[in-house]
Amino acid sequence: YKRQDIPLTVSDSIDISRSLLLNSGEQWIGQAVIQSSQSIEAAFNYYSDEMPTYGWSLITSVQSKISVLNYEKALVLHL
């Protein structure tokens, strides 16, 4: 993944040991587990608000003790 494709805050990080990110060139698929210093609600709201500004489209969301946000992003080819 490209870090600039995900709006991580300065204090947030991707937990590599719990994430699975696969790629073939410019295409990526997988699950990124984000560790956040924010409260669960604040982190959920932050990523819900910020992911679309990075070109991501929400597919599904579940807000609970362990929250899940599923997004997709169209591949843009520059020819």
Side-chain angles (χ1 to χ4, degrees):
Y1 84 101
K2 296 178 183 175
R3 182 173 164 86
Q4 66 269 23
D5 280 346
I6 300 174
L8 293 174
T9 67
V10 175
S11 61
D12 291 355
S13 63
I14 293 181
D15 184 339
I16 299 300
S17 67
R18 295 174 48 208
S19 297
L20 177 62
L21 300 167
L22 307 170
N23 82 318
S24 69
E26 290 295 313
Q27 295 182 344
W28 289 85
I29 189 168
Q31 172 179 304
V33 177
I34 298 175
Q35 292 294 125
S36 180
S37 61
Q38 302 177 70
S39 70
I40 293 169
E41 184 176 318
F44 187 89
N45 290 336
Y46 172 80
Y47 287 100
S48 294
D49 292 342
E50 293 299 317
M51 290 294 282
T53 68
Y54 281 64
W56 294 94
S57 299
L58 182 65
I59 299 170
T60 59
S61 67
V62 177
Q63 188 172 12
S64 63
K65 182 178 178 184
I66 297 176
S67 295
V68 177
L69 293 165
N70 291 309
Y71 286 90
E72 68 180 357
K73 187 174 189 179
L75 176 63
V76 177
L77 297 176
H78 299 281
L79 302 175

